[in-house]
Amino acid sequence: FVSCSVDQTSKIWDIRVPQHSVQTFRGHTGDINSVEFMPSDPNCFATCGQDQTVRLFDMRAYNEVARYGSGKAVETETDGLTSCAFSKSGRLVFCGTSDGNLLAFDVLSEKSTPAFSVASAHEKQVSCVGVSPHGEALCTGSWDSFVKIWA
């Protein structure tokens, strides 16, 4: 499994060797808030964090293979991307933000900025993002006490 941390690293763990991680990935310049395996390629995973970036890592390359940014400068320690989830195909990475927005990044695009966004999706921080098993809907939860379904 993969974990993320406030030490700006994500780590791959093998349950047969629980004493230490087997790979450590660096690159973020702030706390990492969320990690998600790509459904179409179990060797790849995305992380998002306080540095306003989403990073795509590949375990085979043992490296970052893509980086996407919100396009917003980090102004305070509480700014950042709070959660991430892949679309069923793995083409899009959805991210919630600390200011209540929802962003979507296209991993096949040459652009590093969001492919689209939902401004003010929530009134407060988006705390979780999830995609339905069939890939037909997106769900967001927020500190504003609402869960929203985007279909």
Side-chain angles (χ1 to χ4, degrees):
F1 64 93
V2 62
S3 66
C4 60
S5 176
V6 297
D7 71 359
Q8 304 172 3
T9 66
S10 54
K11 296 182 179 207
I12 303 295
W13 300 84
D14 183 338
I15 60 171
R16 298 168 295 185
V17 187
Q19 296 83 6
H20 57 83
S21 62
V22 294
Q23 286 182 316
T24 300
F25 294 86
R26 291 175 169 70
H28 281 279
T29 58
D31 298 356
I32 303 174
N33 294 323
S34 183
V35 62
E36 179 86 9
F37 273 104
M38 180 182 274
S40 57
D41 185 348
N43 292 300
C44 293
F45 63 94
T47 57
C48 69
Q50 291 302 115
D51 60 1
Q52 293 281 353
T53 65
V54 179
R55 294 167 191 256
L56 189 61
F57 294 96
D58 189 315
M59 291 187 292
R60 296 162 296 198
Y62 198 14
N63 208 355
E64 178 182 303
V65 293
R67 179 183 314 167
Y68 312 96
S70 69
K72 179 182 171 189
V74 178
E75 296 173 7
T76 68
E77 284 187 21
T78 59
D79 279 347
L81 302 179
T82 57
S83 55
C84 64
F86 276 102
S87 63
K88 184 179 178 184
S89 69
R91 178 162 184 176
L92 297 175
V93 181
F94 300 102
C95 292
T97 71
S98 58
D99 55 2
N101 297 324
L102 178 63
L103 308 176
F105 299 92
D106 184 343
V107 301
L108 297 180
S109 173
E110 293 180 10
K111 290 176 37 177
S112 63
T113 55
F116 65 90
S117 63
V118 179
S120 302
H122 286 274
E123 292 179 16
K124 294 185 179 179
Q125 176 174 311
V126 176
S127 55
C128 58
V129 178
V131 175
S132 68
H134 296 292
E136 297 167 351
L138 177 71
C139 178
T140 55
S142 170
W143 288 10
D144 64 9
S145 301
F146 287 98
V147 172
K148 295 184 178 181
I149 308 293
W150 309 86

